[in-house]
Amino acid sequence: MHELGVVFHVIKIVEEVATENKLTEVESVTLELGEVSGVIESYLQNCWKWAVKKRSEILKDAVLRVETIPAITYCEDCRNVYGTIEHGKICPCCGSGNTYLQQGNEFQIKEISAC
Amino acid sequence: MKDFKVIEVKRSILDDNDADAAKLREELKEQGTFLLNLMSSPGAGKTTMLKRLISMLGDEMKIGVMEADIDSDVDAQAVAETGARSIQLHTGGMCHLDASMTRQGLLEFGTADLDLVILENVGNLVCPAEFDTGACKNVMILSVPEGDDKPLKYPLMFSVCDVVLINKIDVLPYFDFDLDKCREYIHMRNPQAKIIPISARDGEGFMEWTQWLREQVSAWINKI
């Protein structure tokens, strides 16, 4: 739901990295996005296309690449792991609610390709 | 052919915001201002609750209110009528405030002489929960007509709150809202959450709620 806000964050961070490394043109930005990060890739792509043209000189032609990280939950009672999307908070192995998300809420800039 | 090279960045968007929020909290501590982040759905009664709160605490401490909305200034006007200082922040379509937007708002507002600043976040149970604003404490309002199952549907919101105010308890007899069930659902998500049933319309529960807030503000700004 907050794709536009996170796109602005990404632009800001990439511009900082570009300045530090004396880069003038970014070809692509690769994100690692967890399945339950709450960010929808297609919305993100739409916001990206609009925002880079509007807001950034060095990013204006940059492509956004997204690598998805699956959501996995760990059960503290039976010590199994299971897919969060399919089963949610309650462990399908033992029925416990004493579980936590092991991975899947990431929203990280992995790398950029630039010159 | 341009010679593009790959540069590893490895920076998390939320971590960046968290670091910025922690810095803002330090600045507020130094300045002696307590920032409260208030969240809820649209129509849960944030503004009505604030008006009553300000009328009860306004003589004891200097209070300011920052209203974050996508548009309009109706809330800021309503708060200004109580005599508290208020400012309207327009998020320009954004569904939440992050730490850097909060800092900008505070700067523009000029909060150095205020003891308590209340940030009325965008009415939304999803996005505001994801972004630490830099506030000292998080409070949310759930109102009776919204239903007792909301902690199950919006778990993150309930898990980040220090206090959950259950508002509009004066209309409990007209709704299938089970207060005990609601408490149970909230504590499933967040065993530490303090739950205070209130009615912003007639003032029920406000002694407990204002007492909690008074203690928090005193502890933060080192006054007794």
Side-chain angles (χ1 to χ4, degrees):
Chain A
M1 260 174 106
H2 39 253
E3 282 74 6
L4 187 57
V6 293
V7 161
F8 289 151
H9 272 282
V10 173
I11 291 175
K12 191 177 138 235
I13 293 172
V14 173
E15 284 190 334
E16 282 170 25
V17 172
T19 311
E20 278 163 29
N21 293 282
K22 301 190 171 58
L23 304 166
T24 53
E25 189 183 337
V26 179
E27 176 201 31
S28 73
V29 175
T30 307
L31 300 181
E32 288 173 329
L33 194 62
E35 266 183 319
V36 296
S37 63
V39 174
I40 314 278
E41 190 188 337
S42 60
Y43 295 174
L44 199 63
Q45 292 288 4
N46 277 336
C47 292
W48 178 262
K49 280 176 203 142
W50 177 82
V52 288
K53 293 247 173 330
K54 205 99 177 168
R55 293 274 184 120
S56 177
E57 188 50 41
I58 57 170
L59 275 156
K60 65 180 192 308
D61 296 314
V63 176
L64 185 67
R65 296 207 173 90
V66 175
E67 292 177 6
T68 306
I69 297 175
I72 296 171
T73 295
Y74 175 78
C75 174
E76 288 188 282
D77 286 346
C78 75
R79 297 182 183 180
N80 275 307
V81 293
Y82 62 88
T84 312
I85 302 270
E86 303 90 300
H87 304 289
K89 175 91 180 143
I90 305 296
C91 175
C93 310
C94 73
S96 164
N98 193 15
T99 59
Y100 66 85
L101 190 71
Q102 204 170 47
Q103 61 167 61
N105 63 349
E106 295 78 6
F107 191 112
Q108 182 165 266
I109 305 173
K110 186 187 177 194
E111 59 192 28
I112 62 174
S113 165
C115 66
Chain B
M1 192 67 192
K2 285 175 187 161
D3 188 17
F4 288 107
K5 56 184 174 182
V6 172
I7 294 150
E8 195 173 77
V9 182
K10 285 281 176 202
R11 268 173 73 178
S12 160
I13 307 301
L14 288 174
D15 287 355
D16 266 36
N17 184 61
D18 286 351
D20 199 14
K23 197 164 149 259
L24 180 56
R25 255 189 297 280
E26 270 171 38
E27 292 162 14
L28 288 165
K29 181 86 186 170
E30 225 158 82
Q31 184 186 299
T33 302
F34 184 91
L35 178 66
L36 183 79
N37 178 27
L38 180 65
M39 300 174 283
S40 83
S41 323
K46 287 192 292 294
T47 308
T48 312
M49 187 285 286
L50 280 180
K51 283 164 72 177
R52 185 175 287 276
L53 183 77
I54 294 163
S55 74
M56 291 173 74
L57 290 179
D59 293 338
E60 300 169 36
M61 52 181 91
K62 290 201 192 89
I63 305 176
V65 179
M66 298 206 300
E67 300 279 352
D69 272 308
I70 286 175
D71 207 340
S72 100
D73 63 350
V74 289
D75 285 346
Q77 279 179 18
V79 169
E81 284 165 18
T82 64
R85 268 171 57 196
S86 70
I87 185 175
Q88 184 83 46
L89 308 178
H90 281 167
T91 63
M94 301 259 284
C95 48
H96 65 271
L97 284 178
D98 59 23
S100 79
M101 288 153 82
T102 306
R103 177 184 279 111
Q104 270 177 32
L106 289 167
L107 273 177
E108 201 170 306
F109 196 20
T111 52
D113 63 324
L114 296 174
D115 304 311
L116 168 64
V117 175
I118 299 165
L119 173 63
E120 197 180 323
N121 215 315
V122 181
N124 173 343
L125 292 185
V126 185
C127 316
E130 303 241 14
F131 291 84
D132 188 342
T133 56
C136 315
K137 293 284 171 186
N138 294 312
V139 172
M140 74 155 297
I141 305 181
L142 172 69
S143 65
V144 165
E146 292 171 66
D148 52 26
D149 59 352
K150 290 300 163 291
L152 302 179
K153 293 188 174 179
Y154 304 95
L156 187 62
M157 173 57 73
F158 288 86
S159 67
V160 301
C161 280
D162 300 288
V163 173
V164 178
L165 298 171
I166 301 182
N167 191 24
K168 308 190 188 179
I169 54 163
D170 49 316
V171 298
L172 263 177
Y174 307 102
F175 289 88
D176 292 328
F177 186 100
D178 187 330
L179 202 53
D180 292 332
K181 263 224 166 79
C182 191
R183 281 177 197 275
E184 188 192 319
Y185 293 154
I186 294 168
H187 282 145
M188 260 166 67
R189 297 305 179 201
N190 180 357
Q192 274 83 45
K194 185 175 174 65
I195 301 168
I196 310 176
I198 61 164
S199 165
R201 194 165 67 174
D202 59 29
E204 202 178 333
F206 270 69
M207 290 307 279
E208 189 184 354
W209 160 226
T210 50
Q211 189 51 35
W212 178 86
L213 189 55
R214 191 180 282 124
E215 284 164 12
Q216 299 295 324
V217 175
S218 300
W220 185 259
I221 65 180
N222 300 316
K223 274 191 227 158
I224 295 153

